């Protein structure tokens, strides 16, 4: 086993595919084959995937209902020198999946915790959404009931970071409707459905457009999905959007980027560097 752990116990936190089995990493496969036991969220769910990779390591159930009681038991086994891998039904354990208490307890007990990275639906969606990815907030599942959900979106509507949500297909239509009424129909968003699978769909639009689309096409209310919402535009971005962008676009049509940004800065009073960065973005999009 790598990581020079010798005979010491270690907890491996192993990400598994979110749909496409080709996304299983060779390292994940090896670790899962070599550990003493795999703690799996749902042993029946994981068994076919493990069979597919010819992994015959014994399984033990570790899910949200027994995490509390199983954690001391697994810590004892780790202290006894066992190597244990934690997996969830799909993707990265702990990301909206069990494992936090176990990882925390293992670290507190001085046991090595070794991440074996791989797919995570939130990050996979972000990587293909085309929304700003320099700052983002992973929000997990919004509340299931309308009143709580609206209050929750109300707290998030001023956030300037890209917001990432998981949502159940049965609730996506009403969730989008609440987003429209609280965050606004014009906010840019992306719906990423069935990622890495046969019917993968990544659709961008305003919240209003996505809401209509999902409402009128029941296929969009199936499978697994991630919803991403553009953060609130900062004052600078709003300024750019309304007034200065027009000036910049007119100048860009006639002049090189640097010159257009410099002239636009003189006309609008916005800093040249910021306009230059924005102009670069506009030029990229035109390509
Ligand atoms: N730990 C997982 C991860 O790393 O992504 C997430 C577990 S969470 C309980 C399950 C949710 O993740 C689904 O309801 C869906 O919102 C999202 N998800 C998982 N797989 C997906 C996929 N292939 N396409 C889109 N969303 C997915």
């Amino acid at each position: 086993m790598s990581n020079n752990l010798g005979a010491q116990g270690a907890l491996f936190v192993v990400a598994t595919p979110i749909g496409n089995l080709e996304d299983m990493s060779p390292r994940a496969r090896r670790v899962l084959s070599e550990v003493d036991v795999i703690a799996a969220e749902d042993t029946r769910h994981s068994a076919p995937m493990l069979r597919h990779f010819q992994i015959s390591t014994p399984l033990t159930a570790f899910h949200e209902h027994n995490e509390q009681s199983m954690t001391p038991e697994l810590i004892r086994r780790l202290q006894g020198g066992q190597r244990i891998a934690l997996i969830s039904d799909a993707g990265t354990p702990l990301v909206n999946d069990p494992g936090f208490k176990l990882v925390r307890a293992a670290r507190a007990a001085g046991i090595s915790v070794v991440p074996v990275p791989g797919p995570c639906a939130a990050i996979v969606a972000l990587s293909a959404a085309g929304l700003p990815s320099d700052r983002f907030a992973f929000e997990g599942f919004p509340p299931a009931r309308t009143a709580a959900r609206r209050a929750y979106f109300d707290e998030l509507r001023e956030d300037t970071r890209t917001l990432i949500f998981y949502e159940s297909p049965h609730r996506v239509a009403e969730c989008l409707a609440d987003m429209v009424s609280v965050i606004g129909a014009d906010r840019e968003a992306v719906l990423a459905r069935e990622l890495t699978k046969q019917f993968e769909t990544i659709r961008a639009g305003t919240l209003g457009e996505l809401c209509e689309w999902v409402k009128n096409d029941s296929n969009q209310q199936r499978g697994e999905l991630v919803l991403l919402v553009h953060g609130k535009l900062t004052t600078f971005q709003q300024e750019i959007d309304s007034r200065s962008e027009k000036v910049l676009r007119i100048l860009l049509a006639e002049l090189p980027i640097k010159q257009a940004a410099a002239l636009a800065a003189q006309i609008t009073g916005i800093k040249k560097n910021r306009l230059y960065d924005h102009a670069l973005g506009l030029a990229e999009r035109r390509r």
Side-chain angles (χ1 to χ4, degrees):
M1 178 93 37
S2 61
N3 299 304
N4 302 321
L5 293 171
Q8 267 186 341
L11 175 65
F12 294 85
V13 183
V14 182
T16 56
I18 57 169
N20 190 329
L21 291 179
E22 284 184 76
D23 293 332
M24 181 80 145
S25 79
R27 183 170 171 229
R29 191 175 172 174
R30 181 178 57 75
V31 167
L32 292 176
S33 303
E34 292 180 4
V35 290
D36 298 296
V37 63
I38 298 173
E41 191 184 0
D42 181 341
T43 52
R44 272 181 310 181
H45 177 96
S46 293
M49 185 268 293
L50 295 169
R51 254 197 317 275
H52 174 88
F53 291 110
Q54 288 149 21
I55 295 166
S56 51
T57 308
L59 289 169
T60 190
F62 184 81
H63 43 71
E64 60 175 327
H65 304 296
N66 75 355
E67 182 169 9
Q68 189 82 24
S69 58
M70 274 297 282
T71 292
E73 157 73 11
L74 292 181
I75 295 291
R76 261 194 304 280
R77 288 166 80 159
L78 289 161
Q79 284 171 326
Q82 287 203 357
R83 293 157 312 166
I84 299 177
L86 173 68
I87 61 171
S88 46
D89 286 353
T92 301
L94 277 80
V95 180
N96 242 280
D97 272 334
F100 163 66
K101 289 193 187 92
L102 177 62
V103 167
R104 196 169 170 84
R107 294 183 60 81
I111 294 158
S112 299
V113 178
V114 184
V116 181
C120 170
I123 301 300
V124 173
L126 182 68
S127 72
L131 292 176
S133 53
D134 49 343
R135 293 176 70 230
F136 58 89
F138 172 64
E139 287 293 326
F141 287 88
R145 289 174 187 276
T146 293
R149 194 165 50 219
R150 286 187 178 198
Y152 168 77
F153 290 150
D154 197 44
E155 279 182 18
L156 291 172
R157 58 190 278 205
E158 301 292 315
D159 202 317
T160 54
R161 298 169 297 177
T162 294
L163 302 171
I164 307 177
F165 302 93
Y166 285 164
E167 186 50 291
S168 136
H170 314 295
R171 277 197 289 269
V172 62
E174 51 192 79
C175 174
L176 277 165
D178 284 345
M179 283 177 166
V180 166
S181 59
V182 178
I183 299 175
D186 293 339
R187 185 79 71 92
E188 234 186 277
V190 170
L191 178 62
R193 207 172 58 80
E194 293 291 88
L195 291 164
T196 78
K197 303 187 212 177
Q198 190 184 359
F199 296 108
E200 179 177 86
T201 310
I202 302 172
R203 171 96 165 212
T206 63
L207 279 174
E209 287 164 354
L210 290 180
C211 186
E212 280 303 300
W213 179 58
V214 166
K215 200 166 69 184
N216 296 322
D217 180 355
S218 59
N219 281 331
Q220 306 313 323
Q221 300 173 35
R222 291 191 189 154
E224 296 187 287
L225 55 98
V226 182
L227 260 169
L228 305 96
V229 179
H230 198 300
K232 187 181 176 191
L233 296 178
T234 61
T235 317
F236 168 72
Q237 288 165 326
Q238 283 171 353
E239 200 181 359
I240 279 279
D241 267 10
S242 54
R243 189 167 48 87
S244 315
E245 178 149 327
K246 195 170 169 202
V247 173
L248 194 56
R249 279 182 190 277
I250 293 168
L251 293 170
L252 269 177
E254 307 293 332
L255 299 168
I257 294 180
K258 210 168 162 187
Q259 234 178 318
L263 271 178
Q266 282 182 35
I267 297 167
T268 63
I270 295 173
K271 284 206 171 95
K272 192 168 65 186
N273 288 352
R274 302 184 106 177
L275 283 165
Y276 180 75
D277 287 346
H278 190 70
L280 277 181
L282 290 177
E284 277 283 300
R285 265 177 262 152
R286 271 196 309 203
R287 251 184 246 146

